[in-house]
Amino acid sequence: MVDVEKIRADFPILHQQVYNNPLVYLDNAATTQKPEVVINAVRDYYLTVNSNIHRSVHYLGQQATLAFEESRQLVREFIHARHQHEIIFTKGATESINLVAGSFGRQFVREGDEIVISAMEHHANIVPWQLMCAERGANLRIIPFHPNGELMMDAYRELLNDNTRLVAVTHVSNALGTINPVKDVIALAHGRGIPVLVDGAQAVPHMKVDVMELDCEFYCFSAHKMYGPMGVGILYGKEEWLNKLPPYQSGGEMIRNVTFEKSTFGDLPFKFEAGTPNVADILGFRATLLYLNTIGMNRIAAYEEELMKHALDRLRAIPQVRLVGDSPHRAGVISFLIEGIHPYDAGTVLDKMGFAVRTGHHCAQPVMDIYGIPGTVRISLGLYNTREELNAFTDALNRVIEMFR
Amino acid sequence: MVDVEKIRADFPILHQQVYNNPLVYLDNAATTQKPEVVINAVRDYYLTVNSNIHRSVHYLGQQATLAFEESRQLVREFIHARHQHEIIFTKGATESINLVAGSFGRQFVREGDEIVISAMEHHANIVPWQLMCAERGANLRIIPFHPNGELMMDAYRELLNDNTRLVAVTHVSNALGTINPVKDVIALAHGRGIPVLVDGAQAVPHMKVDVMELDCEFYCFSAHKMYGPMGVGILYGKEEWLNKLPPYQSGGEMIRNVTFEKSTFGDLPFKFEAGTPNVADILGFRATLLYLNTIGMNRIAAYEEELMKHALDRLRAIPQVRLVGDSPHRAGVISFLIEGIHPYDAGTVLDKMGFAVRTGHHCAQPVMDIYGIPGTVRISLGLYNTREELNAFTDALNRVIEMFR
Amino acid sequence: MSIQEIENQIVSEFEQFEDWLDRYNYLIEMGRTLPMIDPKYKTDSYLISGCQSRVWLYAHHEDNKLYFTADSDAVITKGIISLLIRVLNGQSTEDIIQAPLGFVDEIGLKEHLSPTRANGLVSMIKQIKLYALAYQTKNKQRNDPSHEQHG
Amino acid sequence: MSIQEIENQIVSEFEQFEDWLDRYNYLIEMGRTLPMIDPKYKTDSYLISGCQSRVWLYAHHEDNKLYFTADSDAVITKGIISLLIRVLNGQSTEDIIQAPLGFVDEIGLKEHLSPTRANGLVSMIKQIKLYALAYQTKNKQRNDPSHEQHG
Ligand SMILES: Cc1ncc(COP(=O)(O)O)c(C=O)c1O
Ligand SMILES: Cc1ncc(COP(=O)(O)O)c(C=O)c1O
């Protein structure tokens, strides 16, 4: 089992007071805190080997390049990809999705084609497809979900047809917490030869992910949501598919040859990494993965499952609380409403009590529209949260209910 | 005058040995080193207020948001822009240029239109235009330069015509060091109502830049080339022009409203900032600007000019050295060849002597093609370099020449 | 009382409270006493849309003085609005236009005023000042013989 | 001598040098003694393009053994090539295919072998192994009666 006190000691930011109350950080789906080893890795990089990479004849540049490519190797291992060059560094999950929407769209999407997404996507996995479809005369088709927050798989099956070019679904919903049956989603799409992008931003922090087992064509996530530095995202793509896509951004690094008549592009992964990469934070992310590997993703998942169950039990015991999304397959996130209290009011007062929660639509407005609500209160768990924090939170919630009565 | 010993004390990485020789870092055009205040600012962010911004009800999120927007304000002041919302955070100069090429192209470029760039651009200011022109049936026109590395302004004048949609030129050439007369370039374009993008990646570290005085429509640069963290770029755009461009990437943060039928976008600057921004490094960049302001860009420019003159004198005194690019208007960069010695050989041996220089085409292959050479040796200066380092460098160069004789 | 005097009064009222929660309790109370907006103005045309809470605002003027009623779906927002209305109701357009309204910050509610928090309040203050400006302009035109009267 | 024996020989030669610059001086010397490639092979079809230095490589085989000549525009690259050729010349295709060629790393030239340094050397080793593989396959087909002979 995870020794949570030991883990908490690794995260200096957690040990502070907010408005004279101990900080209880329950906004992990927005961004997680970072263990000191990660903060130090970024610092050490700048103190020792900072330099531009890949074309350096000098010592610093060589050290930085080696460490940078080691990070890529570690990401590959972490998500169990086949090849190192299937790992593309971006600035975040949003950019990873924009990259695929842009490059895939340009290459493969024509008038009348269809892209399938689900009704519970984060805006980052809606708007890029929406804009690309608008530009190319294609149509966006939406997989609906049941009131408990589970995808309607029958409806999905019926959405797939000969015009479907790509399916893009979230692995875990950031608004509802649902873990989607992505393996089935992928298998059904593959039955018709359709490639699938999985938005793993809310999955990777909470469970072991194996992209070869999932067999998805693309998988993306952000380092900052899994205890890594800001400014780093990952796009995994199957070699075969990445090779088929045209470059997205262009500039230095990703070039083989430039003349004013014609430029040719480098091999994977460089073809998709234009400009000076964020070496410092990518090395910081390497420290994150080493840290997570030491604890073990399966143990983290088991610990968080316990925690989640406890939180749900406590919340269900408060009569005024109504869960939004209630699938038994859940990770990381619990969204709820409190009878008669606006989420924004609840969040404001909880903040003053030391609890960092998120309120609003969580960048998933369509989900809120479906439930006909303006937003929810959302708590989201990390590996450093404790049962005691959750007890304190539900106690605080009762006080909030009292205040607004 | 700049007290260089005091400044060197601010940069911990400089005080190290490489292959038993003191490190002399002369690769500042690739990336600069970071003062400790910047490294600490990133660290402090993660230790105290790390959180996702802009939509937080909680304390950490509010602190981070305020600091984030203060950084934007400081960037505005630093480049003397009119409005704070004219400052867009990107991941680097390359992305800034891709953003404009992508959004401007989609909105304003049609078949037969022309984009004008110069023959001395970095690949980052060539390939995005080249790809955009290819996609839209437009043509790329090239301003040639004189053998000494100065733009041919007469030829430029003749390139401008009614089909010209945009001019994109570098403020300072990263391969030749030339400071281009961008004010004249801009005025001539404006004479025909043509907007201008200036690539300031190699200018901002070396001189005071005033975008209102230049009157350019777009200006871009990278934090990591001016003593700031990696992973941060700036796009300045005139409000009027930024308002005219469609969004580039899409997702969270940049949205006003999302439904599956239609999404609407936020106001400037958010419209161009999709996804979780790199808050940590942007706060680090704020520390950079405070640091540079304390010293003063005019004093930095004066110091570096002295240094540059000294370096040129010493290099000119070596008969085997041939400067590549020899404009009297020069900043930051000196490129040269050594008779009979391949740049890569020279760079390899210089590295073993402790000198970090760059060799190759410096992501400006067309420049090398024009001179008919495969590449150069390039030294590039920072505010922490000294006359003594340059003396040691030219002495080392003489030893290299001896070795290969 | 002048705007500044009422602001000072509010600031000293809030100084009584040492605890954050007491301040918010007071705000919630204030929110409940907000002079209710006539339901016919609680429509989209009077809506000031923020990110998390919605605000409806109706203004009318008498003798060059402005009067407001408002509502919000969030009680704390209503509380702050009620303070704003207490400060601004019955003041002259000139005074409203010039009011810095520093008290919101002074009583520790700065986060509700930060430009990046689209909670409706910032937009509401902007809207109030725009109303005042519009009335002032209309008034000037009316009193200025070089302008024809339109309304 | 076997590939491993020559590699060991080279490693001990380099162990003599304490100073980096002496190693490079030796490499430069080696580079100058590189058996020159016939000018007719110094064309684009024999070019192995790296990022910073160019390498031309020509291979031929006799009795299931491979022989190489090469050139580069950079002397240090030539030096390393000459070491490679010293190790591989006259070896069998099988041995060449299997050679780990660890000596380049062992004599401290790892940076010249890192996959992200496109200096021509990595591509050259890849090319050499491809040649060996191609000759081997051709040979097998020739000796295998189930295949027709093509050339
Ligand atoms: C499911 C999901 N996808 C994508 C994103 C976008 O991630 P980022 O803002 O780091 O690009 C998020 C972040 O909230 C998310 O929760
Ligand atoms: C003139 C110029 N423009 C653009 C760039 C690209 O900057 P970045 O790689 O930080 O995106 C560079 C970097 O070398 C440069 O020198």
Side-chain angles (χ1 to χ4, degrees), chain C residues 2-4 61-66 68 87-88 90-101 128-141 143:
Chain C
S2 74
I3 290 183
Q4 192 54 57
H61 87 305
E62 274 174 42
D63 307 330
N64 196 28
K65 291 189 176 4
L66 285 179
F68 304 91
V87 168
L88 297 177
Q91 305 287 354
S92 72
T93 51
E94 289 77 15
D95 289 350
I96 289 175
I97 291 165
Q98 270 145 37
L101 298 175
I128 286 179
K129 298 212 166 195
L130 277 178
Y131 271 136
L133 209 62
Y135 280 118
Q136 195 182 45
T137 315
K138 210 155 95 185
N139 230 32
K140 278 216 187 102
Q141 289 175 357
N143 299 334

Side-chain angles (χ1 to χ4, degrees), chain A residues 29 92-95 97 122 124 170 172 174 199 201-202 222 224-225, chain B residues 275-276:
Chain A
T94 301
E95 175 163 79
I97 299 170
H122 186 279
T170 195
V172 171
N174 76 309
D199 174 357
Q202 297 296 345
S222 289
H224 75 94
K225 290 186 195 285
Chain B
T276 304

Side-chain angles (χ1 to χ4, degrees), chain A residues 24-247:
Chain A
V24 176
Y25 188 77
L26 294 172
D27 194 17
N28 293 290
T31 198
T32 57
Q33 301 306 335
K34 325 300 174 197
E36 198 157 16
V37 284
V38 171
I39 305 173
N40 287 343
V42 174
R43 178 183 176 82
D44 287 348
Y45 166 78
Y46 285 129
L47 291 178
T48 57
V49 296
N50 171 58
S51 48
N52 212 319
I53 56 170
H54 286 317
R55 280 174 183 168
S56 284
V57 279
H58 56 71
Y59 178 79
L60 297 186
Q62 285 154 15
Q63 299 303 308
T65 303
L66 285 176
F68 181 81
E69 292 302 328
E70 265 173 51
S71 308
R72 200 191 300 276
Q73 178 62 23
L74 208 57
V75 175
R76 183 196 72 69
E77 284 169 23
F78 193 80
I79 60 167
H80 307 273
R82 192 182 308 271
H83 303 295
Q84 193 168 331
H85 57 256
E86 292 177 324
I87 306 299
I88 312 291
F89 287 117
T90 65
K91 69 174 174 179
T94 301
E95 175 163 79
S96 299
I97 299 170
N98 274 274
L99 191 166
V100 178
S103 292
F104 186 93
R106 197 153 350 123
Q107 190 74 8
F108 293 112
V109 180
R110 302 285 167 267
E111 205 172 322
D113 284 351
E114 297 180 1
I115 302 288
V116 171
I117 66 174
S118 91
M120 64 168 87
E121 300 304 318
H122 186 279
H123 293 166
N125 204 24
I126 301 174
V127 193
W129 304 111
Q130 203 169 34
L131 294 183
M132 184 271 276
C133 284
E135 190 171 331
R136 312 195 71 81
N139 298 310
L140 200 58
R141 308 294 302 271
I142 313 296
I143 314 167
F145 58 83
H146 295 285
N148 77 345
E150 301 198 333
L151 288 183
M152 296 187 183
M153 293 298 281
D154 287 344
Y156 167 56
R157 210 182 305 255
E158 277 169 30
L159 281 178
L160 298 177
N161 63 47
D162 289 350
N163 296 325
T164 314
R165 287 293 151 265
L166 183 131
V167 174
V169 288
T170 195
H171 197 161
V172 171
S173 157
N174 76 309
L176 304 171
T178 317
I179 304 176
N180 285 319
V182 281
K183 236 187 129 169
D184 297 343
V185 170
I186 294 163
L188 282 168
H190 285 185
R192 290 179 160 271
I194 302 165
V196 178
L197 174 141
V198 177
D199 174 357
Q202 297 296 345
V204 185
H206 303 295
M207 59 187 75
K208 186 185 145 202
V209 168
D210 183 327
V211 292
M212 278 208 279
E213 196 200 315
L214 288 178
D215 202 25
C216 54
E217 278 62 36
F218 304 102
Y219 196 94
C220 25
F221 53 100
S222 289
H224 75 94
K225 290 186 195 285
M226 57 184 296
Y227 316 103
M230 291 186 141
V232 179
I234 302 295
L235 169 64
Y236 157 80
K238 282 186 187 165
E239 176 184 44
E240 160 198 4
W241 279 93
L242 290 177
N243 275 331
K244 278 192 228 176
L245 299 189

